[in-house]
């Protein structure tokens, strides 16, 4: 497996285009992360729209720039909305991102994830190591926090990426991003990202925003990861705890210039 | 159409009464804006209650001071709750506010909005220009952000207000409020209001709180708009981005005295 | 009724164990409080998981350390999830906390609360005075804010605690906690706690987190109350309003050391 990264300048360009084009990102997400996801998308310059009911989710996915499908707090109604969105996204060529929250740990949602993957191929799958392992068929974690390290999931991530023809992003202290052939590792960030709810969920949404402005899913995943983790580093420097960190994260993300992102990015 | 505004002192009195009476505001709203709406109502001195299930929404609307019906993230269950609330509000004389999020852009919710308007007349309709145009039958926008300017919607707003016998508030850089006869324009505020999710949704809730303490819907809409936009101006002065702005907005709204509101208000 | 309190050192130990063990707290809660509840649990060091659908709620309750059942924004689907969670929690010996939001004031949810109590005995019931009176059969309040003083509910709280064999916590300016025999009163806190949405709801969740690491429900309820109210005192000192208070509350809770909690605790 090659570890050649796409040139960093692509990430600056991708971030610049998010700012310029304000892509419309449809979010079918959970009740915990919905507010912070919308705020982080707005801070990034994207336009969030939480259209998740089955009557409208399909029509909206056909016109959205990207779609996030996050399995955090499912209901029968929201699953129907997700199926409608994924079918319409596939038909319209709208890229979608799957965030299989707690896959492997809980049976119903693991089935929901597999059902969605059988309907259409996502551009990206984003989860922590436990979730990626759980989705790939291994043992799951105990919910949204990861009990397996991201490196442990690297092999499964590559297999999953190859099987579905998509990029798989394994979040952790070092983020591991792969399309099954190329690998990018991002070591930025701060432990407080795990002490604020919904940061991982928002990362999936940012990936959908970035994917809306580039066809290269690996560049999109890397750009979103860099943007959020670099903003987190800046935010942590001037915060006194997880509350002020969450506030500063929004300020930092809104202030993050494309040139700064490209200059500060260290990929492995 | 006259542009004579009601005397500014009325707005100070209205705001003072919100503080004194702590009106009970029932919110049937979306999963993104629910937390910030509750917090902005509490900062204003009102008492929010998110009673939105069809078993209880009617009973509660009969005793609430005002009801907000926001179409942001509908489900079949919440639509049933909205119908129950609107019917009971009409029967009990409780004023209600309709926020037709993304009306015109999406078919089902546009039908839901029209269905609710056929059940009973709201005291107020609040939306951005695209939503007001969409509700009036024109072309809709692309979600919650407005693609049409507020002035473009002025004529339709007047027509809609006359048709339903209510006040229509078109939010934008200059807010345009009309009962079909009188017009008030409010030019306060800050662009960061559009970079924080749910600020517009909370404005609808604040209108319901103000309408609970006065029978004049135009005074209520103007007072709520002044309170939020003046608070936003103060908040922007001491914020470094959308995250700190959202926090400061709550502090500023809680600290906004009726005299200050009346003194700083510039209506057009 | 004795007013002998358990030794304060127990509360420090309980808080220390929450930090060390990071108990998994399943929250079936409302759309308003879900984000802040998750963030306050994370700040405390616990691991929140909002698994509330009827397909998975039972399986998860069997492995969770504690379960919160909060009736804030019910739907038919979430009630089914609550029944599944409570049944499975009882079978597995997982302690659960009932927060009967607006019980007494609204009929359906009062029935839901009684139905849940007939399925299994909770470790704790937490509410304001109106809710505890409403649950006990008295007159209810007007929603989530309390119209009755906590002392007025003391007698009913003891009766309710004895009837169900659990601890009842009555939140207010002075928190009143009882198992029907022992009473603990906690007078810490700040009025801004009632100007931020979901603080009471998060208190119930913190009680579930504390109860996950000790079998003594009264120690758990007291520790959670002390942690949140002491954090609130610290937060209020460096805040300018309810917005900055909510942010500082998270920072203070995350920084609250077990020794500090034990040293600053004043019980009555």
């Amino acid at each position: 497996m090659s570890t050649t990264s796409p040139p960093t300048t692509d990430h600056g360009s991708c971030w610049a285009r998010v700012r310029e084009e304000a892509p419309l990102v449809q979010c079918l997400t959970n009740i915990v992360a919905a507010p912070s996801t919308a705020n982080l998308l707005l801070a990034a310059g994207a336009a969030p729209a939480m259209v998740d009911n089955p009557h409208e989710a399909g029509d909206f996915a056909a016109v959205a720039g990207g779609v996030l499908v996050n399995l955090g707090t499912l209901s029968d109604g929201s699953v129907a909305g997700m199926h409608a969105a994924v079918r319409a996204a596939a038909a319209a060529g709208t890229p979608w991102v799957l965030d299989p929250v707690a896959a492997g740990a809980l049976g119903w949602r693991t089935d929901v994830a597999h059902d969605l993957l059988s309907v259409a191929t996502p551009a990206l799958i984003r989860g922590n190591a436990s979730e990626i392992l759980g989705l790939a068929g291994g043992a799951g974690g105990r919910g949204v926090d990861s009990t397996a390290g991201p490196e442990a999931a690297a092999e499964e991530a590559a297999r999953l990426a190859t099987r579905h023809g998509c990029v798989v992003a394994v979040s952790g202290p070092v983020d591991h991003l792969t399309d099954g052939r190329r690998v990018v590792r991002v070591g930025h960030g701060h432990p407080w990202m795990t002490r604020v709810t919904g940061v991982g969920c928002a990362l999936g949404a940012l990936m959908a925003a970035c994917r809306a402005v580039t066809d290269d899913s690996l560049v999109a995943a890397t750009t979103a990861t860099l943007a959020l983790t670099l903003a987190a580093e800046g935010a942590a420097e001037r915060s006194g705890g997880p509350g002020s960190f969450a506030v500063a994260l929004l300020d930092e993300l809104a202030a993050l210039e494309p040139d700064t992102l490209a200059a500060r990015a260290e990929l492995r």
Side-chain angles (χ1 to χ4, degrees), chain A:
Chain A
M1 198 185 309
S2 161
T3 59
T4 311
S5 316
T8 300
T9 48
D10 285 357
H11 308 127
S13 307
C14 179
W15 190 240
R17 290 189 64 185
V18 170
R19 300 304 177 95
E20 286 154 21
E21 299 180 19
L24 186 56
V25 181
Q26 178 181 10
C27 299
L28 300 96
T29 191
N30 64 78
I31 60 166
V32 188
S36 58
T37 295
N39 278 326
L40 281 159
L41 283 172
L42 286 167
M50 270 63 182
V51 181
D52 59 2
N53 69 74
H55 303 285
E56 298 173 332
D59 286 349
F60 203 78
V63 299
V67 179
L68 169 71
V69 176
N70 174 301
L71 310 186
T73 55
L74 295 174
S75 67
D76 291 332
S78 68
V79 171
M82 288 170 183
H83 273 273
V86 164
R87 269 194 306 271
T94 307
W96 66 285
V97 175
L98 176 66
D99 191 333
V101 181
L106 290 162
W108 182 54
R109 66 183 62 202
T110 308
D111 292 343
V112 168
H114 289 142
D115 287 349
L116 291 169
L117 288 172
S118 73
V119 169
T121 297
L124 283 152
I125 301 174
R126 188 218 73 86
N128 61 36
S130 295
E131 291 158 352
I132 297 304
L133 287 169
L135 189 64
R142 58 177 211 163
V144 294
D145 58 336
S146 183
T147 52
E151 294 304 325
E155 208 170 311
E156 285 298 340
R159 206 168 292 152
L160 200 60
T162 303
R163 190 191 316 156
H164 293 289
C166 69
V167 163
V168 174
V170 188
S171 301
V174 174
D175 294 271
H176 181 100
L177 318 173
T178 183
D179 60 4
R181 191 174 53 82
R182 295 174 293 168
V183 169
V184 179
R185 289 192 182 85
V186 182
H188 294 287
H190 191 275
W192 275 340
M193 295 176 80
T194 64
R195 298 291 293 277
V196 174
T197 199
V199 172
C201 298
L203 177 55
L206 286 176
M207 288 179 182
C210 290
R211 184 58 181 74
V213 300
T214 176
D215 286 336
D216 188 327
S217 295
L218 191 56
V219 167
T222 306
T223 303
T225 304
L226 284 170
L228 194 65
T229 56
L230 290 171
E233 290 179 358
E237 276 175 31
R238 54 195 191 82
S239 301
S244 46
F245 171 76
V247 172
L249 184 61
L250 288 163
D251 287 358
E252 291 282 333
L253 193 68
L256 182 64
E257 295 298 332
D259 289 353
T260 311
L261 182 142
R264 286 180 55 199
E266 289 180 30
L267 305 180
R268 303 179 185 184

